[in-house]
Amino acid sequence: VNEEQTRLYSMHADAKHASAFAIDPQSGSLREMNRVETGGINGVRQMIDRSGRFMVGVNYSSGSVIVQGDSCT
């Protein structure tokens, strides 16, 4: 979750993509904003940089790292 608690980011361990969701401040419900390929298999860790513009993710099974720009955030 970002610092403002308006976005949730998720790597999907059984898939090859990461997702960004908007968090509704009233209900807490999620709306998928975007989905991007991670370039690997079994994404297990991710973080968003302080600017909120980049996501860094790690794919466990393929041993690769992704740096995704604004399209994910």
Side-chain angles (χ1 to χ4, degrees), residues 8-55:
L8 171 74
Y9 303 98
S10 176
M11 298 276 287
H12 303 280
D14 294 333
K16 298 178 182 179
H17 66 277
S19 300
F21 298 90
I23 303 171
D24 183 287
Q26 300 297 321
S27 68
S29 65
L30 302 176
R31 176 182 54 83
E32 187 174 42
M33 297 170 33
N34 199 5
R35 181 182 293 202
V36 296
E37 293 293 319
T38 63
I41 301 169
N42 194 230
V44 293
R45 298 275 187 227
Q46 85 280 344
M47 68 172 285
I48 304 299
D49 80 315
R50 288 190 182 267
S51 75
R53 294 186 53 218
F54 298 97
M55 180 189 77

